[in-house]
């Protein structure tokens, strides 16, 4: 078992003929992901690299290939439209990699898909991977190993850092979800925690947060009330100055709120194992899963 | 992106928000002409991207970045004292900001002050309008001490502001009669301005009721979503580069995400989260990071070179820590970039490199064989320890 994606997942790539879309679609295919369709308006009826059929619309791709998940590499100005098109076509898991989407567009698209039954991952994220089964994103596949730990993160390369440690310690990962670094994420820490809590294959969860917003505090409340599995947490930005956007659109301490210290305190009080250094994530999870603190 | 008060008021004025008449001035002569044109008592306001101007002090001892002038001569006098002078407020830090423009506005007879602000409520994923009868003071202080005095009104992003929202706020602030109607109009216009310009913060502090019964935005602050600037060329034109750190401007030319800090260990990292985490580890090991720098996913030779140049132009930097998790980008390609950049620029400081990921052994071997004095670390913790030791 796993969450969100598995070996049955049939992926349509929106923006497959673009530079990034093309590169990563190839990487996903090589990993073993079932990339069944691509969408580029105006190029319907052709084939991408003589392998994958291209459609003009997501609805056509779903109808013809049974695609049930979409991976979006569309430029920021058009990305919200791409998400809405996927949701409208009945796609259930939408992974939006695009960085730089205006917050207003994100808030509107999130509200608009509320009742569609679609789950949006991202935007501005590395994607989702269930090791050995399905890679839907831009993460390097080989650092992952099928295993016992779920990973939730707002960051890209920092997630790879944590994943690498889990792989090195032999624990491996059930599924890794990059929820993204934007102020209006499609899926929150709490929602991803819920999915892992209910997944029998996941024995523990690594939660990676960063400064800005209150997603980690909400996660802490959920952990305290419902979490049945150990959680190891790291919050990036303990040394970040207030009022400055640290790369990610959502990584900003505003009005004195959203500091790493507040988040670490909330998570620790909720019973999570909070590590101060990202280099301690793997070992902390080994200890947590063996019942030690 | 931030703009000055006079620019924010210009934008708000376009949407029908009532603001006092005013003119921006770059010299004492212009301030004199503006005061003459406006007539009567005017206010001369220093224009910098920081709050607390009224209570601020200039580095030459002159007090107050907001001054009431009875005559045009007096307005010119204040402008002369402020322009080219450095104003220090609780938001500028001790080094202050040089004033290059003043805003001359008509003076208002204030009967009462209020607060209005719009931000994104990230937990609810929609904008919230905050209104309070406690105007003219810091809203963070009100929120901490008397949160019951802040009325919050959430706006659905799909529907936008409705008349009842504006009425709720105007009633909440205690307005009556004509002033009530003016407040409803102002709140509605303010929200539309915020929404349509992709603002991330719109703040009116204070909003005032004048003695003759009108509602006005006496001050205005607007910040905009950098991700949305592509659809607002008029706002991009308002960018004041003199308000920004020169090295950060330089970095933005190369699409590098750089933020200058006070420490002495320069960092170069791929990915924002890992860059923050690297700073954290340096601090944990007893050092101080000199900057945040994300070279992005595709760390090419060119990007690494530009990143090096920017790091080294900060004279506080005594050592450099490069932390790259090569995922899609191979470590040997990164090593090649680092070597080429270091050779071309002639780096003389200690450089600690930590590589992880695809082709890591090849990358490390290249660094070792380069003839340059790189210290190669096996993991992030060790890299931070080595960098900290090299500056001690």
């Amino acid at each position: 078992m796993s969450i969100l994606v598995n070996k049955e997942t049939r992926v349509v790539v929106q923006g497959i003929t673009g530079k990034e879309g093309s590169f990563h679609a190839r990487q996903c295919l090589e990993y073993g992901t079932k990339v069944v369709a691509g969408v580029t308006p105006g190029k319907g009826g052709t084939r991408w690299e003589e392998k994958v059929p291209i459609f003009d619309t997501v609805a056509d791709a779903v109808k013809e290939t049974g695609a049930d998940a979409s991976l979006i590499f569309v430029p920021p100005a058009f990305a919200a439209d791409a998400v809405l098109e996927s949701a409208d076509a009945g796609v259930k898991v939408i992974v939006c990699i695009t960085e730089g989407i205006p917050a207003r567009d994100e808030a509107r698209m999130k509200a608009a898909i509320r009742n569609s039954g679609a789950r949006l991952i991202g935007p501005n994220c590395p994607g989702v991977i269930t090791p050995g089964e399905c890679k839907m994103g831009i993460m390097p596949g080989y650092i992952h190993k099928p295993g016992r730990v779920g990973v939730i993160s707002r960051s890209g390369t920092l997630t790879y850092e944590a994943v690498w440690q889990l792989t090195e310690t032999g624990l491996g990962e059930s599924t890794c979800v990059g929820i993204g670094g934007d102020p209006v994420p499609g899926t929150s820490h709490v929602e991803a925690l819920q999915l892992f809590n209910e997944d029998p294959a996941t024995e523990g969860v690594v939660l990676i947060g960063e400064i800005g917003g209150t997603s980690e505090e909400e996660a802490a409340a959920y952990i305290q009330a419902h979490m049945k599995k150990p959680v190891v947490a790291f919050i990036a930005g303990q040394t970040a100055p207030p009022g400055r956007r640290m790369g990610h659109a959502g990584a900003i301490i505003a009005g004195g709120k959203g500091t790493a210290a507040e988040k670490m305190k909330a998570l620790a009080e909720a019973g999570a194992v909070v590590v101060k250094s990202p280099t301690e994530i793997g070992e902390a999870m080994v200890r947590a899963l063996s019942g030690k603190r | 992106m931030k703009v000055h008060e006079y620019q924010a008021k210009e934008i708000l004025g376009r949407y029908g928000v009532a603001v006092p008449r005013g003119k921006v001035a770059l010299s004492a002569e212009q301030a004199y002409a503006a005061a003459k044109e406006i007539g009567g008592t005017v206010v001369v306001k220093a224009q910098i991207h920081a709050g607390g101007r009224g209570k601020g002090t200039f580095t030459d001892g002159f007090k107050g970045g907001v001054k009431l002038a009875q005559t045009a001569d007096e307005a010119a006098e204040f402008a002369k004292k402020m322009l080219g002078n450095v104003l220090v407020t609780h938001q500028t830090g001790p080094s202050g900001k040089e004033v290059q423009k003043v805003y001359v506005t008509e003076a208002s007879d204030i009967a009462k002050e209020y607060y209005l602000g719009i931000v994104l409520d990230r937990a609810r994923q929609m904008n919230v309008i905050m209104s309070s009868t406690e105007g003219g003071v810091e809203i963070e202080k009100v929120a901490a001490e008397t949160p019951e005095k802040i009325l919050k009104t959430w706006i659905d992003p799909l529907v936008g502001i409705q008349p009842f929202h504006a009425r709720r706020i105007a009633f909440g602030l205690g307005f009556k009669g004509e002033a009530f109607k003016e407040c409803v109009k102002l709140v509605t216009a303010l929200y539309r301005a915020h929404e349509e310009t992709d603002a991330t913060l719109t703040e009116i502090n204070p909003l005032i009721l004048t003695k003759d019964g009108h509602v006005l935005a006496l001050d205005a602050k607007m910040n905009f979503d950098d991700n949305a600037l592509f659809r607002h060329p008029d706002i991009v034109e308002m960018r004041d580069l003199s308000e920004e750190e020169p090295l950060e401007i330089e970095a933005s030319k190369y699409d590098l995400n750089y933020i200058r800090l006070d420490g002495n260990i320069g960092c170069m990292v791929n990915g924002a989260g890992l860059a923050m985490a690297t700073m954290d580890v340096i601090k944990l090991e007893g050092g101080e990071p000199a900057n945040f720098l994300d070279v992005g996913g595709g760390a090419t030779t060119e990007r690494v070179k530009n990143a090096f140049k920017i790091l080294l132009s900060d004279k506080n930097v005594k050592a450099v820590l490069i932390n790259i998790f090569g995922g899609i980008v191979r470590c040997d390609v990164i090593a090649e970039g680092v070597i080429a950049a270091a050779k071309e620029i002639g780096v003389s400081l200690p450089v600690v490199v930590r590589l992880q990921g695809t082709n890591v052994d090849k990358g490390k071997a290249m660094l070792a064989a380069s003839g340059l004095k790189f210290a190669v670390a096996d993991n992030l913790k060790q890299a931070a320890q080595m960098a900290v030791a090299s500056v001690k």
Side-chain angles (χ1 to χ4, degrees):
Chain A
M1 279 285 286
S2 56
I3 66 166
L4 298 165
V5 298
N6 57 39
K7 56 182 182 296
E8 311 297 332
T9 304
R10 299 174 68 79
V11 179
V12 49
V13 177
Q14 291 176 260
I16 197 167
T17 52
K19 189 172 162 242
E20 281 213 25
S22 195
F23 177 82
H24 289 292
R26 209 173 299 129
Q27 300 268 330
C28 290
L29 267 176
E30 281 170 18
Y31 192 78
T33 305
K34 286 192 177 124
V35 178
V36 296
V39 169
T40 299
K43 291 191 181 167
T46 61
R47 277 186 178 264
W48 173 75
E49 300 199 338
E50 290 162 21
K51 287 189 282 257
V52 178
I54 301 178
F55 299 90
D56 285 328
T57 68
V58 178
D60 287 347
V62 168
K63 196 171 135 214
E64 299 297 326
T65 67
D68 54 8
S70 77
L71 179 57
I72 298 176
F73 294 97
V74 170
F78 315 105
D81 179 55
V83 168
L84 294 175
E85 185 182 355
S86 262
D88 182 69
V91 173
K92 291 299 168 217
V93 175
I94 304 170
V95 177
C96 184
I97 304 298
T98 310
E99 177 176 5
I101 303 175
R104 168 163 55 127
D105 298 6
E106 291 183 351
R108 287 168 63 91
M109 82 183 173
K110 181 75 198 292
I113 64 170
R114 210 181 283 148
N115 301 317
S116 68
R119 171 165 296 286
L120 172 65
I121 307 289
N124 189 13
C125 76
V128 182
I129 183 169
T130 293
E133 298 195 24
C134 176
K135 168 174 127 83
M136 247 182 106
I138 60 173
M139 64 291 277
Y142 79 94
I143 63 170
H144 301 80
K145 177 184 148 152
R148 306 153 64 186
V149 180
V151 179
I152 307 167
S153 174
R154 276 167 73 180
S155 157
T157 46
L158 179 56
T159 316
Y160 310 161
E161 186 81 44
V163 165
W164 184 250
Q165 291 172 33
L166 293 172
T167 296
E168 291 264 280
T169 55
L171 292 175
E173 309 85 37
S174 52
T175 300
C176 305
V177 188
I179 59 173
D182 278 354
V184 189
T187 294
S188 65
H189 278 116
V190 168
E191 290 166 305
L193 275 174
Q194 277 170 341
L195 296 174
F196 279 127
N197 207 16
E198 288 153 19
D199 172 37
T202 301
E203 295 172 33
V205 179
V206 168
L207 184 147
I208 299 174
E210 60 191 33
I211 55 164
T214 52
S215 182
E216 294 80 359
E217 284 88 338
E218 290 151 28
Y222 176 82
I223 290 168
Q224 187 146 37
H226 306 288
M227 202 68 194
K228 300 175 287 199
K229 304 168 184 184
V231 176
V232 171
F234 171 73
I235 306 294
Q238 296 164 49
T239 49
R244 304 300 308 270
R245 223 168 81 145
M246 305 301 281
H248 292 155
I252 180 165
I253 300 168
K257 288 282 166 194
T259 63
E262 285 174 318
K263 293 171 188 292
M264 291 165 75
K265 184 167 175 276
L267 286 161
E269 284 173 1
V273 178
V274 180
V275 294
K276 279 187 178 165
S277 166
T279 61
E280 295 162 7
I281 294 170
E283 283 170 30
M285 185 51 87
V286 170
R287 280 198 303 276
L289 286 179
S290 63
K292 294 179 210 136
R293 276 286 158 122
Chain B
M1 190 192 119
K2 293 178 178 176
V3 295
H4 289 294
E5 174 200 357
Y6 78 92
Q7 294 165 322
K9 282 184 174 167
E10 185 192 317
I11 293 167
L12 294 176
R14 268 187 248 155
Y15 284 87
V17 176
V19 295
R21 286 182 302 135
K23 280 200 106 168
V24 69
L26 288 87
S27 65
E29 294 74 33
Q30 285 181 8
Y32 180 87
K36 273 279 176 208
E37 190 186 320
I38 292 162
T41 308
V42 296
V43 187
V44 181
K45 307 176 87 173
Q47 298 294 291
I48 55 170
H49 286 185
R53 292 167 297 167
K55 294 193 183 94
T57 305
F58 289 89
T59 45
D60 68 350
F62 182 67
K63 285 200 187 308
V66 178
K67 289 285 192 187
L68 203 63
Q70 304 297 339
T71 65
D73 281 322
E74 207 182 346
E77 192 59 31
F78 286 136
K80 199 176 165 188
K81 286 194 169 129
M82 291 181 191
L83 289 164
N85 205 346
V86 175
L87 181 58
V88 181
T89 79
H90 71 279
Q91 285 187 3
T92 60
S95 52
K97 287 274 186 192
E98 189 184 329
V99 177
Q100 297 183 336
K101 290 169 184 166
V102 294
Y103 191 40
V104 182
T105 73
E106 63 179 333
S108 307
D109 270 337
I110 302 171
K112 192 165 169 25
E113 296 184 314
Y114 309 84
Y115 173 90
L116 264 186
I118 309 171
V119 288
L120 174 70
D121 179 338
R122 289 169 59 168
R124 295 208 190 190
Q125 305 196 321
M126 56 177 78
N127 285 326
V128 58
I129 306 178
M130 292 182 291
S131 51
S132 175
T133 51
E134 305 301 294
V137 291
E138 265 186 85
I139 197 66
E140 286 85 3
K141 203 166 175 255
V142 181
E145 291 166 9
T146 48
E148 71 282 0
K149 288 188 173 164
I150 299 175
L151 175 70
K152 291 184 173 181
T153 306
W154 286 272
I155 310 293
D156 187 307
L158 295 180
V159 187
I161 190 163
Q162 301 300 306
F164 82 89
H165 291 132
R167 287 198 303 271
R168 179 172 186 254
I169 292 164
F171 279 128
L173 293 177
F175 286 112
K176 291 186 176 66
E178 280 306 308
F180 172 84
K181 286 184 198 164
E182 285 189 20
C183 181
V184 165
K185 181 170 173 275
L186 187 144
V187 168
T188 309
L190 191 76
Y191 189 81
R192 290 207 178 114
H194 179 89
E195 175 94 347
E196 287 175 25
T197 59
D198 284 290
T200 53
L201 168 78
T202 301
E203 195 171 56
I204 306 299
N205 193 16
L207 174 81
I208 59 158
L209 175 67
T210 62
K211 283 186 177 151
D212 55 359
H214 294 294
V215 180
L216 278 178
L218 197 64
D219 198 0
K221 181 178 176 185
M222 289 185 95
N223 294 348
F224 301 94
D225 183 353
D226 293 341
N227 287 344
L229 289 175
F230 68 88
R231 55 190 177 207
H232 302 291
D234 55 328
I235 293 170
V236 174
E237 271 182 28
M238 293 180 171
R239 185 172 171 192
D240 183 349
L241 291 176
S242 69
E243 287 280 340
E244 298 173 28
E245 163 73 36
L247 280 178
E248 291 177 14
I249 298 169
E250 187 67 16
S252 69
K253 286 183 195 160
Y254 304 110
D255 277 330
L256 294 167
N257 236 315
Y258 171 87
I259 293 170
R260 191 172 176 176
L261 304 168
D262 297 329
N264 56 7
I265 298 174
C267 318
M268 189 194 305
V269 188
N270 66 331
L274 190 58
M276 272 189 273
T278 303
M279 287 161 43
D280 295 346
V281 177
I282 289 173
K283 183 93 173 181
L284 278 174
E285 296 301 335
E288 288 290 338
N291 64 279
F292 166 93
L293 174 60
D294 173 11
V295 287
T300 60
T301 306
E302 201 56 29
R303 291 177 73 90
V304 171
K305 198 165 78 189
N306 290 322
F308 248 131
K309 279 185 187 160
I310 285 157
L311 282 187
L312 298 176
S313 28
D314 176 355
K315 294 300 164 219
N316 292 334
V317 170
K318 299 290 176 246
V320 176
L321 169 55
I322 300 177
N323 181 23
I324 304 280
F325 199 106
I328 300 294
V329 187
R330 300 191 330 255
C331 288
D332 52 324
V333 174
I334 288 156
E336 195 183 320
V338 171
I339 293 164
K343 277 188 176 158
E344 191 183 319
I345 303 167
V347 182
S348 56
L349 299 175
V351 178
V352 180
V353 187
R354 183 267 179 153
L355 293 176
Q356 190 55 270
T358 321
N359 290 0
V360 59
D361 293 334
K362 197 173 166 195
K364 281 186 182 172
M366 286 166 67
L367 290 173
S370 68
L372 294 162
K373 276 185 269 170
F374 293 119
V376 181
D378 289 325
N379 57 53
L380 177 52
K381 184 174 178 154
Q382 190 195 21
Q385 285 167 343
M386 286 160 72
V388 172
S390 72
V391 297
K392 282 266 155 81

